[in-house]
Each structure stands twice: as structure tokens, then as C-alpha cells.
């Protein structure tokens, strides 16, 4: 039987032998909370790269890369669901995170438009899945 409550959380386990990164994307949420559950000595890589915000010209501009190894276990990272981001591949070991998505009771839709491809993207913010100009801007093997 289906639950009357939509699922707005996930436990993501990423290991060096299998994980390729989750690709550059934004969440269908108002706010995203990401909490590391693995000790930093148990993995290498898997950093979280942040870009601009969906609906703005800086959408595909790199803003910051978060290195999980510099955060205490259990630190919550809170960001707008509209912020484009990507979990980079875990190179060695296994990294586990608890992720929550908070969805507004009255979400505001942002239509797609020319702003999406107006500027040349930073490589960290280019998505093969979502960007129509991926082949034009991709440096082979750098993005997903």
C-alpha cells in the first residue's frame, strides 16, 4: 500500500568502485539539507560543487566546492533546492549522507528560458543531461 506521505529524504551511499557522481542538477525542492554520516577518514573525494541558482543568469557559474573532509561528522549543509550542484565521484572508500528535501506548500514555478544558455558555463556546472549546449562547451570527460 502506498504511503499517504510523499518521500522527501534519502540516504545516499557512494563508494569509490561504483560511484560516478550524480551529475549537475538542481532539486525539485525549496530547500535541501545534506548531512554527512561517514567519518572523513573513511573516504576520499565526493566533494559537493555548487553553482548559481535556477532562473538567474549565473545558473551555470561555479560558486563553491565543499570538501566534506573539513566538516565535523553530522554537520548539516543547507542550500536552496534551486541552486545547481553536483556530488563529485568518491575516489576511495565509502561516503554516506542523509539528504532531506523540504518542499513549500505553495512552490513558485520558474519557466525555462534563454537565460539557461546565455552565458558560457563553468565546466563544474555543465550538465550532459540538462544542458542543450553540452557538446559545444564540454571539455571531454570533465562533466556528467
Amino acid at each position: 500500500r502506498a504511503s499517504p506521505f510523499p518521500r522527501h529524504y534519502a540516504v545516499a551511499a557512494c563508494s569509490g568502485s561504483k560511484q560516478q557522481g550524480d551529475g549537475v542538477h538542481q532539486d525539485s525542492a525549496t530547500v535541501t539539507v545534506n548531512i554527512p554520516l561517514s567519518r572523513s577518514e573513511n573516504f576520499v573525494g565526493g566533494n559537493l560543487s555548487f553553482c548559481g541558482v535556477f532562473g538567474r543568469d549565473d545558473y551555470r557559474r561555479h560558486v563553491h566546492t565543499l570538501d566534506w573532509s573539513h566538516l565535523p561528522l553530522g554537520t548539516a549543509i543547507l542550500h536552496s533546492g534551486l541552486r545547481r550542484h553536483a556530488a563529485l565521484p568518491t575516489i576511495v572508500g565509502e561516503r554516506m549522507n542523509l539528504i532531506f528535501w523540504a518542499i513549500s506548500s505553495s512552490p513558485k514555478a520558474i519557466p525555462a528560458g534563454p537565460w539557461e544558455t546565455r552565458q558560457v558555463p563553468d565546466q563544474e556546472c555543465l550538465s550532459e543531461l540538462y544542458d542543450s549546449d553540452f557538446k559545444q562547451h564540454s571539455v571531454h570527460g570533465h562533466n556528467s
Side-chain angles (χ1 to χ4, degrees):
R1 185 174 146 199
S3 168
F5 303 103
R7 189 176 130 189
H8 300 297
Y9 65 91
V11 175
C14 308
S15 67
S17 61
K18 300 174 189 166
Q19 198 240 358
Q20 299 299 311
D22 64 359
V24 181
H25 65 282
Q26 75 273 348
D27 299 329
S28 297
T30 307
V31 173
T32 300
V33 179
N34 196 323
I35 304 169
L37 302 176
S38 301
R39 297 192 184 285
S40 60
E41 60 267 14
N42 292 342
F43 66 93
V44 173
N47 294 339
L48 189 57
S49 186
F50 290 102
C51 304
V53 175
F54 188 76
R56 298 185 185 162
D57 283 338
D58 72 346
Y59 179 55
R60 300 190 304 169
R61 293 286 182 212
H62 181 253
V63 187
H64 180 74
T65 297
L66 176 71
D67 183 344
W68 290 110
S69 68
H70 294 138
L71 296 177
L73 187 65
T75 300
I77 302 303
L78 175 76
H79 66 85
S80 167
L82 294 176
R83 181 163 297 281
R84 193 170 238 206
H85 60 281
L88 303 175
T90 302
I91 299 164
V92 175
E94 183 174 78
R95 175 179 63 84
M96 189 174 294
N97 289 49
L98 176 61
I99 304 164
F100 292 93
W101 295 278
I103 300 173
S104 170
S105 60
S106 57
K108 295 171 180 60
I110 298 173
W115 56 266
E116 291 182 272
T117 56
R118 187 174 291 140
Q119 295 185 5
V120 174
D122 292 336
Q123 289 296 300
E124 299 91 340
C125 301
L126 185 60
S127 171
E128 184 173 11
L129 183 60
Y130 297 108
D131 292 337
S132 60
D133 58 351
F134 175 82
K135 288 182 181 177
Q136 177 185 349
H137 297 296
S138 177
V139 173
H140 181 69
H142 191 279
N143 338 65
S144 40

